[in-house]
Amino acid sequence: MTQTITVIRGDGIGPEIMDAALYVLDAMRVGLQYEEMDAGMVALEKHGELLPAATMDSIRKNRVALKSPLTTPIGEGFSSINVELRKRFDLYANVRPAKSFPNTKSRFPTGVDLITVRENTEGAYIGEGQSLSEDGETALLTQKVTRRGSERIVRYAFDLARSAGRKKVTIVHKANILKSTSGLFLKVAREVAQKYPEIECNELIVDNCCMQLVMKPEQFDIIVTTNLFGDIISDLCAGLVGGLGLAPGANIGTEAAIFEAVHGTAPDIAGKGLANPCALLLAAGQMLDHIGQPQNATRLREAIVATLEAKDSLTPDLGGTGNTMSFAKAIATRI
Ligand code: NAI
């Protein structure tokens, strides 16, 4: 059976890494058909808007999108196209795995295998109540945390622990200072945790969590937290295991899910064939899990690891002399 997904090739290095990712997916014969849609600068040039209605309709219809990074031009309405997509489809769970891979020159070449589950729609990123006083001396911002938002993200984290056979969920907060917002998140998280007695649960204040992550990342399994903390923690975790070229992310909602690399359009290397395709490929792995093809997701991840182990055709960010497509081809031969 085939399934149609929306494919957004994006800006900068986007088309190069998407070509590479689709090359590998095609080699795997996972039964996917691609509906290619525009977003970002390409869409602005072709259709006069950053997020054309046809692209939104395609995601709504197919419910699954694989997306390359997009450039948000300054002064074009949205604060970020990605934030806008998350809002429009209510993609409330941002799921970012960080895993040690061989030959990445990272600080933790072994021992890290954790997932950050970040609330993706509320907290400090709601874009409301931002103001600067006339004298330019005082800035304000509104944060919003709801019981519903907290409950569904914590439940998502515990359900993920159950389905992925993970043992522990760490609730990360700052309820000692942010008593209303983080306080509500923690209270609800504790209530939800009680419904999953078989999963170990602990709590950490965000600053301590950052220190623990740098010193002993192997103690973490799944981290669940609010939007701003999750944004920072997930990048910290990407840094532990080798940087942006290996960091995937999934944005999950009830009506749609968008899978992407954590990194941006990398204008400094765009068009040179130097971009590492692994982050998008690992996101494609998350997508395969999501659409009920866990064996293929594992096949893909194992082929990536085998290629890294063999140091075969790796891109320059990993110390290799290969290029985007040679790396993808080396992965495809190990599928
Ligand atoms: P960036 O992630 O594009 O680049 C940061 C550094 O990492 C650069 O030196 C780049 O060459 C390197 N890098 C990134 N991806 C790489 C890859 N796959 N292989 C090898 N090296 C890689 O971040 P930057 O420069 O801050 O942002 C550039 C643009 O991307 C901005 O317009 C920003 O708005 C957009 N952006 C889009 C995102 C998305 O669509 N999800 C996420 C983050 C940024």
Side-chain angles (χ1 to χ4, degrees):
M1 214 182 76
T2 61
Q3 175 164 355
T4 304
I5 62 163
T6 303
V7 164
I8 297 173
R9 300 168 66 78
D11 301 313
I13 58 171
E16 302 161 54
I17 56 172
M18 187 59 80
D19 280 345
L22 298 187
Y23 179 89
V24 176
L25 286 175
D26 286 343
M28 292 178 70
R29 299 183 190 281
V30 288
L32 290 177
Q33 281 188 336
Y34 313 125
E35 194 165 272
E36 294 209 4
M37 303 305 293
D38 295 321
M41 289 307 282
V42 176
L44 188 65
E45 280 153 26
K46 277 212 253 178
H47 314 284
E49 49 185 338
L50 289 165
L51 265 182
T55 304
M56 303 300 284
D57 289 345
S58 169
I59 299 172
R60 201 168 291 116
K61 173 173 59 96
N62 296 326
R63 300 169 69 97
V64 175
L66 185 63
K67 172 187 152 301
S68 276
L70 305 172
T71 306
T72 302
I74 292 158
E76 277 295 332
F78 307 140
S79 57
S80 150
I81 311 178
N82 296 303
V83 172
E84 190 63 24
L85 274 169
R86 289 168 195 170
K87 262 200 217 162
R88 294 228 202 145
F89 290 108
D90 193 24
L91 305 174
Y92 67 92
N94 187 254
V95 184
R96 292 186 173 179
K99 192 171 167 25
S100 295
F101 288 112
N103 294 320
T104 55
K105 296 187 181 154
S106 72
R107 289 187 186 265
F108 293 94
T110 59
V112 180
D113 184 6
L114 63 88
I115 304 173
T116 305
V117 176
R118 158 191 169 195
E119 203 293 319
N120 220 8
T121 57
E122 340 190 293
Y125 289 14
I126 52 170
E128 289 170 22
Q130 301 214 48
S131 67
L132 186 62
S133 63
E134 270 182 25
D135 60 6
E137 296 292 320
T138 308
L140 294 173
L141 158 77
T142 302
Q143 295 203 20
K144 183 167 84 181
V145 168
T146 66
R147 168 171 282 279
R148 172 178 174 267
S150 304
E151 206 172 281
R152 67 179 178 172
I153 194 65
V154 178
R155 206 178 309 118
Y156 185 93
F158 276 93
D159 285 341
L160 178 65
R162 254 186 198 162
S163 64
R166 300 250 171 184
K167 306 252 171 311
K168 180 170 151 190
V169 172
T170 301
I171 300 163
V172 175
H173 65 92
K174 188 77 185 176
N176 52 328
I177 307 288
L178 306 174
K179 292 188 195 299
S180 61
T181 48
S182 214
L184 177 60
F185 176 77
L186 179 60
K187 180 172 186 288
V188 173
R190 284 176 178 164
E191 290 167 14
V192 172
Q194 283 181 358
K195 299 187 178 120
Y196 298 81
E198 79 282 16
I199 313 264
E200 187 189 338
C201 175
N202 68 336
E203 298 166 8
L204 276 182
I205 293 175
V206 63
D207 31 355
N208 181 22
C209 174
C210 290
M211 183 194 68
Q212 299 282 340
L213 274 166
V214 173
M215 293 187 70
K216 285 193 284 178
E218 67 280 357
Q219 68 183 292
F220 292 91
D221 198 347
I222 288 182
I223 291 172
V224 63
T225 190
T226 44
N227 207 338
L228 173 61
F229 299 158
D231 194 6
I232 297 167
I233 283 174
S234 58
D235 265 34
L236 188 162
C237 294
L240 294 176
V241 297
L244 288 172
L246 294 160
N251 299 284
I252 313 270
T254 49
E255 303 299 320
I258 300 180
F259 299 86
E260 62 184 345
V262 166
H263 62 71
T265 56
D268 51 334
I269 55 168
K272 297 181 181 163
L274 300 175
N276 181 347
C278 276
L280 186 60
L281 271 167
L282 290 165
Q286 288 182 282
M287 179 183 76
L288 291 170
D289 273 327
H290 180 78
I291 63 174
Q293 298 197 30
Q295 291 95 338
N296 282 329
T298 303
R299 257 173 90 205
L300 175 56
R301 285 190 276 267
E302 285 175 357
I304 292 171
V305 171
T307 309
L308 290 168
E309 254 160 14
K311 292 192 188 177
D312 183 1
S313 308
L314 307 189
T315 41
D317 59 305
L318 298 176
T321 54
N323 58 47
T324 309
M325 206 30 121
S326 71
F327 196 176
K329 286 184 174 165
I331 293 167
T333 59
R334 295 180 169 86
I335 287 294

